[in-house]
Amino acid sequence: MKLYDYSRSPNARRVRIFLAEKAIEVPVETVDLAHGESHTPSFLSKNPLGQVPLLEFDDGTYLAESVAICRYFEEAQPSPPLFGTTARGRAEVEMWARRIELSLFAPVLVVWKHTDPSWAGRLPQVAALADMERARVTQSLAILDAALAQREFLAGDRFSIADILALCTIEFACEAANIWPDPKLEHLAGWHEAVARRPSARA
Amino acid sequence: MKLYDYSRSPNARRVRIFLAEKAIEVPVETVDLAHGESHTPSFLSKNPLGQVPLLEFDDGTYLAESVAICRYFEEAQPSPPLFGTTARGRAEVEMWARRIELSLFAPVLVVWKHTDPSWAGRLPQVAALADMERARVTQSLAILDAALAQREFLAGDRFSIADILALCTIEFACEAANIWPDPKLEHLAGWHEAVARRPSARA
């Protein structure tokens, strides 16, 4: 088994944190996205979407998509559970994971692509679109704050993959899209401080 | 228990098909998205993102996000399994569900928003962005076709939620974004014909 990884990819980081929480060690091979290594014919034959993280099994098959890789390890080694433990709990984790993915990470990516100089030659950057999506990010962060006023972690009283996705997204938003959560969102700030202090966050 | 639904929402349709496959009946209340009913203070207190589908439990709590609602019913009534049955199988379903969501549905939405007259006053429509995302749709459809050359359904030999997401997305792409799969993608065409013939597809 081998994990294709890239240190600066926010999606690859999700898997590294997840594995650290489970204390699972997997051999890693770095794919240098910055130098196009994810779009060589060799890598595209492994994952046609040219993305990391990617998990290679010993039988030569592959599994792509960060959350799918995490789910594989959840099923293979259930403890500690990071996808919920009851019907409702698993559904809550899924709900928050999707909200992070679709209503926070997706607009952060749009802001990044429409403002960062590194994207200037690759698409028509439209400041008004970045502004609209920045407003969606603000709304989503407020929804996270309201949820975290009620409980310790996003999907309940137990750390889950939803917290991992949120941590990676919020830190990517700061670094790449220059979006910083309003410090008045104090429940979000307290949660962030707590999850960033976990040893897994250094992964 | 009550499901908030809207007949023309592609995400609400996912849940209707899923419930039909499981032969689960849930009382339904229509939220008329076209007339702003998802953004009233009353509905926003149920789901701050103002989206359907939404599941209301008898204790007055709510569960949002189409796939989260499906996962709840999968856990509550596992048969027939629609999220996979083994560690690897569940991960494969997750991988394909995410590819549909992030690499097919997301760009379809961008094409729709940047070309449909109904969006003209709501964002700056940029034809070049629609063209870029249309190319991503084309790439993703080709990846689905290649996968379906190897097996009957997206995530293996069993119908799963990944097929439901793909069906709803492809039909929404035709209706809303005027994107029609190239008929040369014959494995995709054969799969589409088969899944559209299932009784659940009328949901």
Side-chain angles (χ1 to χ4, degrees), chain A residues 1-3 15-16 18-28 55 73 77:
Chain A
M1 184 175 278
K2 178 162 71 176
L3 179 68
V15 175
R16 293 196 303 271
F18 191 90
L19 292 174
E21 289 282 342
K22 295 253 185 199
I24 296 173
E25 293 194 13
V26 178
V28 164
L55 187 64
F73 286 112
Q77 184 192 301

Side-chain angles (χ1 to χ4, degrees), chain A residues 13-191:
Chain A
R13 187 184 178 210
R14 298 167 167 187
V15 175
R16 293 196 303 271
I17 294 178
F18 191 90
L19 292 174
E21 289 282 342
K22 295 253 185 199
I24 296 173
E25 293 194 13
V26 178
V28 164
E29 179 172 324
T30 292
V31 180
D32 188 346
L33 301 198
H35 290 87
E37 286 182 10
S38 60
H39 283 73
T40 61
S42 162
F43 192 80
L44 289 171
S45 75
K46 300 177 170 68
N47 181 5
L49 283 163
Q51 295 168 337
V52 296
L54 179 72
L55 187 64
E56 180 176 320
F57 291 90
D58 292 341
D59 64 0
T61 59
Y62 297 92
L63 180 69
E65 296 292 334
S66 58
V67 176
I69 294 170
C70 293
R71 192 174 293 281
Y72 172 77
F73 286 112
E74 177 82 357
E75 299 280 339
Q77 184 192 301
S79 178
L82 295 170
F83 277 89
T85 56
T86 63
R88 184 69 189 272
R90 287 170 187 257
E92 290 284 331
V93 169
E94 182 91 45
M95 177 179 84
W96 285 104
R98 286 176 58 84
R99 283 180 166 172
I100 299 300
E101 198 78 77
L102 303 174
S103 300
L104 188 65
F105 190 45
V108 164
L109 285 178
V110 175
V111 174
W112 176 48
K113 292 181 180 180
H114 283 270
T115 57
D116 195 272
S118 70
W119 282 89
R122 296 150 74 189
L123 87 174
Q125 291 182 308
V126 182
L129 286 174
D131 291 343
M132 289 178 64
E133 297 302 299
R134 201 180 281 108
R136 278 183 70 203
V137 172
T138 300
Q139 180 201 25
S140 293
L141 292 174
I143 289 172
L144 297 193
D145 186 68
L148 291 164
Q150 309 293 324
R151 48 191 178 266
E152 186 175 355
F153 298 108
L154 268 180
D157 58 5
R158 188 190 278 276
F159 182 82
S160 79
I161 189 163
D163 299 291
I164 296 175
L165 304 190
L167 175 69
C168 294
T169 300
I170 287 171
E171 297 192 348
F172 181 77
C174 300
E175 291 158 22
N178 199 25
I179 298 175
W180 302 79
D182 184 338
K184 286 185 197 142
L185 301 176
E186 57 182 24
H187 307 293
L188 182 64
W191 163 89

